[in-house]
Amino acid sequence: MKVKLAIITGASKGLGASIARRMMTEGTGIISVSRTENPELAKLSAEKQVFYAQYFCNLSSPDELESVFSELTALLQEKKPETVYVFNNAGVIDPIGTAGNLNHAALIQNAHVNLIAPIMISNILLREVSSEMVIVNITSGAAERPIQGWSAYCSTKAGINMFTETAALELQTAGSSHKIIAFSPGVMDTDMQGTIRSSEKEAFHDLEKFQEYKEKGMLRDTETVANALAGLLHKEIESGKVYYVNDLI
């Protein structure tokens, strides 16, 4: 039997949990990497009779990430799956604020979670895993346009887009069958949106627009977005490309 596994960071809630649920319905085993566990995922894996493992990890700690992914790659070498999907999904929006008023601790955490962790994870897995891999870096429209108050988030998401493009070129040059893409999920009804709406007007210029998204029901549910992403992965994808949910729904 051909085994497929999906590694998902931030799988305990939001888009990550929705991706996990969708992948399990397709018979794909789940390796969740997050700070907390979602008991529903373990329950669903039992119902669907697919593999499930939880690794607790603070992605803002490079040492912890190295340690966890050392264990995780050993598991992959033991399981020998035919295909490994990697969803670098975990992300943070803070610090929200204008340049000159940013909290440095929050800024460092933002860079670690949004940019350094996905690069490290991709680096480790590309080095250690022989199974065919599809790496999906969750990005944002904020990677391509400046949003006042989001300089850290815009910058790290722009960085992950450039990493995706560069790594794809390198894989192509090496003749590798691995693929790496970025996926922009649009505005979704998640905890991150709650954080955005609770920020101060002085810190975030577009506050009222994002409050309006919620009030007028303009936020997509994460299940819809996860289904669009899963559908994309059934097609022939172009390594290095940024895919947008609005083009898939």
Side-chain angles (χ1 to χ4, degrees):
M1 183 179 173
K2 294 176 179 177
V3 176
K4 294 184 178 181
L5 293 175
I7 300 166
I8 308 171
T9 65
S12 60
K13 59 186 178 181
L15 179 60
S18 293
I19 293 170
R21 285 191 287 269
R22 170 59 193 257
M23 298 302 280
M24 277 194 264
T25 63
E26 297 182 359
T28 301
I30 299 298
I31 300 173
S32 167
V33 180
S34 56
R35 287 177 301 171
T36 57
E37 184 169 16
N38 182 338
E40 289 179 12
L41 296 182
K43 185 180 174 185
L44 183 60
S45 71
E47 288 173 11
K48 299 293 181 184
Q49 295 185 309
V50 295
F51 178 81
Y52 171 78
Q54 169 69 41
Y55 287 86
F56 294 100
C57 184
N58 176 3
L59 294 172
S60 66
S61 166
D63 290 343
E64 197 171 319
L65 189 155
E66 288 263 18
S67 175
V68 166
F69 273 82
S70 175
E71 291 180 37
L72 198 154
T73 52
L75 174 68
L76 291 176
Q77 286 157 5
E78 176 194 321
K79 292 283 181 186
K80 294 183 173 58
E82 179 195 32
T83 307
V84 176
Y85 298 100
V86 183
F87 297 93
N88 283 312
N89 163 73
V92 294
I93 187 76
D94 287 323
I96 296 174
T98 55
N101 298 292
L102 299 174
N103 177 281
H104 286 177
L107 177 63
I108 291 165
Q109 183 180 32
N110 183 298
H112 275 293
V113 174
N114 291 351
L115 181 60
I116 296 171
I119 293 176
M120 284 182 66
I121 290 167
S122 301
N123 189 55
I124 292 166
L125 294 176
L126 287 169
R127 184 181 65 220
E128 302 291 343
V129 178
S130 57
S131 305
E132 188 169 285
M133 270 194 299
V134 179
I135 299 172
V136 180
N137 293 319
I138 303 300
T139 184
S140 169
E144 298 168 7
R145 67 180 188 277
I147 298 175
Q148 294 183 58
W150 286 14
S151 60
Y153 189 72
C154 291
S155 299
T156 51
K157 289 302 184 181
I160 206 62
N161 281 9
M162 183 52 71
F163 170 73
T164 301
E165 292 178 44
T166 307
L169 275 177
E170 293 166 350
L171 290 169
Q172 183 182 13
T173 300
S176 172
S177 62
H178 299 318
K179 292 190 175 181
I180 181 168
I181 63 169
F183 175 73
S184 183
V187 287
M188 299 176 289
D189 199 1
T190 61
D191 289 352
M192 185 182 285
Q193 284 293 320
T195 302
I196 292 165
R197 291 192 300 274
S198 64
S199 58
E200 299 294 329
K201 176 68 176 174
E202 298 75 28
F204 179 40
H205 185 265
D206 295 334
L207 176 63
E208 287 160 9
K209 183 197 295 184
F210 277 75
Q211 288 173 337
E212 194 175 272
Y213 287 158
K214 178 68 173 177
E215 289 162 9
K216 295 189 173 179
M218 297 166 69
L219 300 173
R220 276 201 188 96
D221 66 87
T222 56
E223 302 291 330
T224 300
V225 176
N227 287 337
L229 175 54
L232 171 66
L233 297 179
H234 288 304
K235 301 171 184 174
E236 186 64 32
I237 57 173
E238 181 185 335
S239 199
K241 184 174 177 176
V242 180
Y243 288 87
Y244 303 88
V245 71
N246 289 346
D247 297 332
L248 304 173
I249 292 177

